[in-house]
Amino acid sequence: MILETVKNKTKDSSTFKRTLTSVIYVVIVVALCAMKWCIPRTEAVFGTIIYWGSLGFDIVFCGIAVIGCLEFLRAIDGRQNSQDKKISFAQRTFTIAFCAVVVPLCVILEMTWQAGLLAVACAFAVYFMCLAATSVFDHVRSSVRGTISCVFCMMYCGVLPALLASINHLPQNSMVAMLVLILCTVFTDAGAYIVGTLFKRWIPLKLAPQLSPNKTVIGAVGGIIGGILGAIVAYYVMYWFGGINNNVYLWRFNEVYLVFSSEKIHPLVTFVLVGLGTSILAMIGDLFESAIKRECGIKDMGNLLPGHGGVLDRFDSMLYCGVLVLFAFGSIIS
C-alpha cells in the first residue's frame, strides 16, 4: 500500500513537471513568434532585408546546437568501453566549437549576403578536416569510430539547427514556414499521444517495439493526422492575419503575408502535403533518437527540461522536419 502511494506521488510529480515545462515552452514559442512577426524589418547595406525579430529564434537554435552537442557527446561517453570508440580532447573541442559557431555564422552570412548555407557547408568541411587531422596525428587518444561519431554529432547537432536558422531567414515566407515547422511537430506529437492512448487497447500493434515499446501504429496514424492539421492551422493563421500575394483577407501587420505563385494547385493542398511529410519525418526523428538512447544505454539525453529530458529529446522531431520545410518554402512554395 505504501509502495503504491509512493509510485502515485512520483507519477503525479512527473506529470506536473511535464505539464509545467510544456506550458513554459508554449509561452516562449508564442513570444518568439510575436517578436518575429511584429518587429519591423530593415534593409541592409547589400540590399538584403534584415528581420530583427528573427534573432530570438536564432538564439534558441544556437542553444539547441550547443546543448545538444554536449548531450550527444555525454551519451557517447557512456558507450566508450572499448579502444575503438575513443574521442580525444582535441576532437571534442573541435566538435563543440563547430556547433557553437555554425548557427551564428549561418545567420550573419544569411542576413548580409544570403549565403548562410554556403557558409555552413564550408565550415563543416573545415572542421571535418580538423577532426581527420587529429585522428591521424593523435591516434593514440582517438579512433576512426570516435571521429565518425564526432562528424555525425556535427551534422546532427550543428548542421540541422543551422537549417532551422535558414528557415528563420528565408527571403520570403519565413514567418509561415516557422509556423508550419512548429505547429506540425507539436501537433504530430500531440496527435500520436492522444490517438495512441485512446485506441491502443483495441489496436495494440507496435510501431517499433525494439526501440520504443509504447509507440503504436494507430498512434502513428494519429501523428500523421495531427501533422496535417498543424499545417492547415498554420495556413489559416497566415490566411486570416496576413493574406496571400499581398491580398488582405482579415487583418495584416508589418507586411507579413504568404507568397504563392503557382496557379495549378491550391496553396492549402501544398500545405497539407508538407504537413504529411513533416509528420512522417517527425516520427522518424523521434524513433531515431530512441535508437541512439538505446544504443547508449540511457533513458534521456539530458535533464535540462523537467519531464521531457534533454534538449535533443524535445527537439529531435523539429530537427528532422526542418529539412523538408526548408526545401518546401525555399524552393516550391514561392
Side-chain angles (χ1 to χ4, degrees):
M1 183 67 180
I2 297 177
L3 182 60
E4 184 177 351
T5 303
V6 172
K7 287 182 178 180
N8 290 334
K9 288 183 178 180
T10 303
K11 183 177 180 180
D12 293 340
S13 177
S14 177
T15 302
F16 174 76
K17 290 179 180 179
R18 186 177 180 86
T19 303
L20 180 61
T21 303
S22 299
V23 171
I24 295 174
Y25 171 80
V26 171
V27 171
I28 292 175
V29 168
V30 171
L32 291 174
C33 287
M35 177 180 174
K36 179 176 174 61
W37 198 314
C38 298
I39 294 181
R41 59 186 182 179
T42 59
E43 187 172 341
V45 178
F46 300 98
T48 57
I49 303 300
I50 298 179
Y51 296 88
W52 296 105
S54 301
L55 295 180
F57 276 115
D58 293 332
I59 294 173
V60 172
F61 297 150
C62 186
I64 292 174
V66 175
I67 299 173
C69 175
L70 295 175
E71 290 178 351
F72 186 89
L73 291 177
R74 189 184 306 116
I76 293 298
D77 283 340
R79 297 296 296 170
Q80 289 191 33
N81 299 322
S82 60
Q83 293 297 313
D84 62 349
K85 296 181 180 178
K86 293 184 296 183
I87 300 176
S88 69
F89 177 79
Q91 289 180 320
R92 200 177 299 271
T93 302
F94 280 126
T95 304
I96 297 173
F98 174 81
C99 293
V101 304
V102 65
V103 173
L105 181 65
C106 178
V107 170
I108 293 172
L109 269 295
E110 196 66 36
M111 292 173 68
T112 52
W113 291 300
Q114 294 185 353
L117 293 179
L118 178 61
V120 171
C122 293
F124 180 80
V126 170
Y127 276 87
F128 171 77
M129 288 185 286
C130 292
L131 284 175
T134 56
S135 179
V136 172
F137 296 107
D138 192 17
H139 196 66
V140 175
R141 287 182 287 270
S142 63
S143 66
V144 174
R145 290 195 178 185
T147 303
I148 293 174
S149 298
C150 289
V151 172
F152 178 80
C153 181
M154 291 196 305
M155 295 178 62
Y156 187 46
C157 304
V159 174
L160 293 185
L163 295 185
L164 300 184
S166 296
I167 296 172
N168 193 34
H169 289 276
L170 285 171
Q172 292 180 334
N173 296 330
S174 67
M175 185 68 243
V176 67
M178 289 300 300
L179 288 176
V180 169
L181 177 68
I182 294 168
L183 292 178
C184 283
T185 53
V186 172
F187 277 51
T188 297
D189 188 37
Y193 177 77
I194 294 173
V195 174
T197 301
L198 291 176
F199 297 102
K200 69 179 180 180
R201 181 182 302 176
W202 295 280
I203 309 177
L205 183 62
K206 301 296 184 180
L207 181 63
Q210 294 182 342
L211 298 179
S212 185
N214 294 326
K215 289 182 172 58
T216 60
V217 173
I218 190 63
V221 174
I224 291 175
I225 296 173
I228 294 174
L229 181 61
I232 294 174
V233 171
Y235 170 79
Y236 277 107
V237 167
M238 184 58 63
Y239 179 87
W240 289 327
F241 299 106
I244 301 176
N245 296 334
N246 212 19
N247 295 318
V248 181
Y249 291 93
L250 183 60
W251 176 76
R252 176 183 296 171
F253 183 77
N254 203 23
E255 289 300 313
V256 177
Y257 56 90
L258 172 64
V259 177
F260 191 86
S261 58
S262 176
E263 298 179 356
K264 297 180 179 180
I265 186 172
H266 194 279
L268 181 58
V269 176
T270 307
F271 273 65
V272 168
L273 293 176
V274 173
L276 172 64
T278 52
S279 64
I280 295 174
L281 286 178
M283 289 184 285
I284 292 175
D286 190 35
L287 288 173
F288 181 72
E289 187 74 18
S290 298
I292 294 176
K293 290 185 288 187
R294 180 169 291 274
E295 177 70 19
C296 296
I298 57 177
K299 183 178 182 295
D300 294 316
M301 296 296 288
N303 54 8
L304 182 63
L305 305 176
H308 291 264
V311 166
L312 291 180
D313 295 303
R314 175 70 270 179
F315 295 100
D316 50 1
S317 299
M318 186 177 291
L319 292 176
Y320 269 63
C321 293
V323 179
L324 177 59
V325 173
L326 179 61
F327 174 74
F329 287 89
S331 60
I332 300 176
I333 304 176
S334 60

